[in-house]
C-alpha cells in the first residue's frame, strides 16, 4: 500500500480532558507519523463549512455547536494506507460499536463527542488537508 496523508482532528471533548498526548501515542504506535499539527478554536462559519457534507443530516447543527465548544487539534498523519489505518485506530463512529483498544472505545463520550475525526477516503483526505493546511506547512 502506498504512503499517503490523512486529516485527523482531535475534538473538543478530548482537548478538554487533556487527552491529546494519549491520542497521539495511539497514532504513533500504529505507525502513523504526525507530520503537521496545530491547535485551533473554530468559528461557527468554519465549522459549518468543514462539515457542509452533513448539512442535511439531523445532527448537523449540534455537531457544529460541539465542534466550536472548545479548542481542537488539526493534524496531518502520514503512513502506509494512512486513511484506512487511521480509521482502524479511531474505531467506529459510535463508541458503543468500537473495537477494544481503539481511540473511540477508550476515550469517546458519545457518538457526537467521539474524540477524533478522520478522513473517510483518499480524495476527501486531500480536500480536508487543503482546508486546514497550506502547502508550505507540509514540506518536510
Ligand atoms: P466525524 O467523523 O467527525 O464525522 C461527522 C460526525 O458527526 C461524526 O464524526 C460524529 O461525531 C457526528 N455525529 C453525531 N451524530 C451522528 C450520527 N447519528 N451518525 C453519524 N455521525 C454523527
Amino acid at each position: 500500500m502506498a504512503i499517503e496523508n490523512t486529516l485527523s482532528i482531535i475534538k473538543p471533548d478530548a482537548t478538554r480532558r487533556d487527552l491529546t498526548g494519549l491520542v497521539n501515542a495511539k497514532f504513533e504506535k500504529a505507525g502513523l507519523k504526525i507530520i503537521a499539527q496545530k491547535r485551533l478554536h473554530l468559528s461557527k462559519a468554519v465549522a459549518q463549512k468543514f462539515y457542509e457534507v452533513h448539512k442535511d443530516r439531523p445532527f448537523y447543527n449540534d455537531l457544529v455547536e460541539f465542534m466550536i465548544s472548545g479548542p481542537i487539534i488539526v493534524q496531518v498523519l502520514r503512513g502506509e494506507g494512512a486513511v484506512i489505518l487511521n480509521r482502524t485506530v479511531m474505531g467506529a463512529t459510535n463508541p458503543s460499536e468500537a473495537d477494544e483498544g481503539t481511540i473511540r472505545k477508550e476515550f469517546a463520550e458519545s457518538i457526537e463527542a467521539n474524540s477524533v475525526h478522520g478522513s473517510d477516503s483518499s480524495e476527501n483526505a486531500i480536500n480536508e488537508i487543503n482546508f486546514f493546511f497550506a502547502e508550505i506547512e507540509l514540506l518536510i
Side-chain angles (χ1 to χ4, degrees), residues 9 11 50-51 54 57-59 63 66-67 87 90 93 104 110-114 116-118:
I9 302 177
K11 295 186 179 184
F50 181 74
Y51 278 117
H54 295 304
R57 309 284 288 272
F59 57 81
L63 172 62
F66 168 66
M67 290 301 288
R87 293 184 71 77
M90 288 192 301
T93 304
R104 285 165 169 164
S110 66
I111 193 169
E112 179 177 85
N114 65 355
V116 281
H117 164 83

Side-chain angles (χ1 to χ4, degrees), residues 9-25:
I9 302 177
I10 302 180
K11 295 186 179 184
D13 66 285
T15 61
R16 176 169 46 78
R17 290 175 287 150
D18 296 320
L19 295 173
T20 301
L22 291 175
V23 170
N24 281 347

